[in-house]
Amino acid sequence: MSTLNSNSPLALYLNGEWKNPGPPLEVTNPSTGEVIGSVSTVDRAGTRQAIADAESAWEVWKGLTGKERGTYLHAIAAGIEKRGDEIARAISLENGKPLAQAKGEVGMTLDHFQWFAEEAKRSYGRVVPNQLDGKRHLAIRQPIGVVGAIAPWNFPLVLAVRKVAPALAAGCPVLLKPASATPLCAVLLAEAIHEANLPKGVFQLLVGSAREIGPELMENPACRKITFTGSTEVGRELIRQSADQVKELSMELGGHAPFIIFDDADLDKAVEGALITKFRNTGQSCIASNRIYAQRGIYERFLDAFVEKAQALKVGDGMEDGVDIGPLIDEAAADTARQHIDAAVQSGARLLCGGKSPEGCGPNFLEATVLADVPEDTLCMTEETFAPVAPVSVFDDEDEAIRRANATEYGLAAYVFTENVNRAWRVAEALEAGTIGVNDSVPSTSQCPFGGMKHSGLGRELGTEGLDAFLETKHISFAQIS
Ligand code: NAP
């Protein structure tokens, strides 16, 4: 029987064993409101024990070669691939996203494991030229220690793995705390890790209240690093909490990506790019385009084509064939989106399509919504909407586009559509964001660094930087070598 069909609460993976330490947490399908399963939980004392077990496991894990750890990571990837359909189903059921997009998430997860399996062999140091006769200097890199990884619900598998895979590759034991809305795919990930026979305690799964697990991860000195993906609000709180322990942090926080279309853009490419960046994952993506700026010469043509395509997107249960837009994660998220739409309309924006739940769908659903002539100071232009709502605004010249795009506390991603290569370089270099897509609506990839500037975060995931995040640099100085 597959794990997902179990009638009893799913167990947590703690110190190499499956355990049921605390009361189950129910998991709900956001499409139907049905309870689809439950997972056991751990409290603060259980978290403390898991940290102690991880610390014991560290000796063994850091003693392996990078190649040996890489072999384990390849085995985990093989296990995920074998159960790819079941894992994608779990993601779609608990998060609501269309099944095809959940399968895409599983594919990217595999790629991340495979990338870091190879990177495990490459935690290079340096030989540094000496200034004094006889001295020799080395900078070596060593695993930082026990890692607490806190993940969000919007890409519940792949964003957890952006932490788990490099931490394991670097030689660090990891405690994964998934979002309470989406723990099922984390249990399946834990099963793949268990089947790959990692030493006990190297990977553990902590499901439960953030108020129980979070403070123990933050305050326990044996947990050396926190890697967090989630809202800027919670990120700020964790940064404050880290001060007493001077705890190492990586923070992947909120975004408010501008999507800039110049008059010289290829209209079809720009429309396709705006559709993908805005409506993929039902708009619940940290790199979703939140503000679409189109230059005056292309503005109305862009709106006509974009609205036509947005209206054709099928909204429904993520498990139904052909669905493009699933439900929002919960009713509160749908209410926020409706407030943003109402505020924009009240401040003079034109509602060109959407703005309501499709007939027959529940309150968590929202049609693809396009707003035009949206004033710069309305909610959807300043706060993350995290929904299929596309505010569009007109601009006149390049300087204005850059100034308005950068006028936000966020700096995660930005998109530029132009066929002028000189303009593409100028604008890409001027935008304040960690990732710039030039005529590219899907810029993230395992090999390249991902992360935010300004209030969008600290540090980078993926690429070679993804492994760096779990390594400390140590200088070794040799004197009197003759
Ligand atoms: P969230 O509310 O900040 O929660 C994220 C994770 O933090 C969850 O596991 C949550 O646990 C946990 N958490 C909440 N409060 C905590 C606390 N006080 N101490 C320790 N852990 C705590 O964010 P979300 O709503 O899940 O995710 C959406 C946000 O994430 C958006 O702002 C989005 O832009 C951002 N995001 C950023 C990136 C990126 O790479 N930069 C990627 C995806 C999403 P519970 O679920 O148990 O509350």
Side-chain angles (χ1 to χ4, degrees), residues 339-412:
Q339 277 167 22
H340 281 208
I341 296 167
D342 291 348
V345 170
Q346 275 162 26
S347 61
R350 286 184 283 148
L351 178 64
L352 300 186
C353 67
K356 56 183 189 337
S357 299
E359 224 163 284
C361 288
N364 294 0
F365 290 87
L366 184 65
E367 287 172 351
T369 299
V370 180
L371 294 155
D373 309 340
V374 184
E376 205 68 358
D377 57 355
T378 51
L379 277 177
C380 59
M381 297 296 267
T382 56
E383 292 182 11
E384 259 188 307
T385 309
F386 236 54
V389 178
V392 190
S393 180
V394 69
F395 71 91
D396 285 301
D397 62 36
E398 192 177 303
D399 286 348
E400 181 195 345
I402 293 167
R403 181 177 48 74
R404 288 170 65 187
N406 286 342
T408 167
E409 68 183 21
Y410 295 109
L412 191 58

Side-chain angles (χ1 to χ4, degrees), residues 150-155 159 162-163 177-182 208-211 213-215 217-218 228-235 237-238 241 251-255 284-287 384 386 410 412 450-452 456-457 461:
I150 305 176
W153 49 264
N154 62 335
F155 289 89
L159 296 183
R162 283 182 190 183
K163 304 172 181 315
K177 188 229 164 299
S180 296
T182 53
S209 160
R211 296 281 157 203
I213 298 169
L217 294 176
M218 296 308 295
F228 169 81
T229 299
S231 59
T232 295
E233 189 191 351
V234 173
E237 190 182 326
L238 297 179
Q241 289 175 18
M251 294 272 136
E252 293 289 339
L253 308 179
Q284 302 170 117
S285 161
C286 52
I287 59 168
E384 259 188 307
F386 236 54
Y410 295 109
L412 191 58
F450 178 85
S456 286
E461 295 188 327

Side-chain angles (χ1 to χ4, degrees), residues 207-430:
V207 174
S209 160
R211 296 281 157 203
E212 291 280 323
I213 298 169
E216 189 59 31
L217 294 176
M218 296 308 295
E219 290 167 26
N220 191 322
C223 177
R224 300 278 182 87
K225 161 132 199 171
I226 297 293
T227 168
F228 169 81
T229 299
S231 59
T232 295
E233 189 191 351
V234 173
R236 285 194 191 106
E237 190 182 326
L238 297 179
I239 292 168
R240 279 191 286 269
Q241 289 175 18
S242 71
D244 284 344
Q245 295 286 330
V246 194
K247 182 108 52 192
E248 172 95 14
L249 297 173
S250 290
M251 294 272 136
E252 293 289 339
L253 308 179
H256 209 281
F259 186 103
I260 306 171
I261 307 154
F262 286 96
D263 284 347
D264 57 25
D266 176 316
L267 182 64
D268 293 341
K269 276 192 223 163
V271 169
E272 198 54 36
L275 281 173
I276 292 170
T277 58
K278 181 66 257 182
F279 298 118
R280 187 177 69 124
N281 216 43
T282 311
Q284 302 170 117
S285 161
C286 52
I287 59 168
S289 46
N290 248 83
R291 292 166 288 148
I292 301 177
Y293 297 114
Q295 202 168 5
R296 199 167 297 278
I298 201 170
Y299 185 63
E300 290 297 340
R301 280 183 295 135
F302 170 76
L303 282 173
D304 290 346
F306 185 53
V307 168
E308 189 186 330
K309 296 257 182 175
Q311 283 174 319
L313 296 174
K314 184 174 169 194
V315 183
D317 186 321
M319 299 300 287
E320 274 172 31
D321 272 353
V323 162
D324 302 294
I325 296 186
L328 289 155
I329 190 71
D330 54 29
E331 217 170 321
D335 286 345
T336 302
R338 283 187 262 271
Q339 277 167 22
H340 281 208
I341 296 167
D342 291 348
V345 170
Q346 275 162 26
S347 61
R350 286 184 283 148
L351 178 64
L352 300 186
C353 67
K356 56 183 189 337
S357 299
E359 224 163 284
C361 288
N364 294 0
F365 290 87
L366 184 65
E367 287 172 351
T369 299
V370 180
L371 294 155
D373 309 340
V374 184
E376 205 68 358
D377 57 355
T378 51
L379 277 177
C380 59
M381 297 296 267
T382 56
E383 292 182 11
E384 259 188 307
T385 309
F386 236 54
V389 178
V392 190
S393 180
V394 69
F395 71 91
D396 285 301
D397 62 36
E398 192 177 303
D399 286 348
E400 181 195 345
I402 293 167
R403 181 177 48 74
R404 288 170 65 187
N406 286 342
T408 167
E409 68 183 21
Y410 295 109
L412 191 58
Y415 305 90
V416 187
F417 279 69
T418 174
E419 294 295 300
N420 175 335
V421 72
N422 292 317
R423 166 171 278 155
W425 277 111
R426 269 195 315 269
V427 177
E429 288 183 1

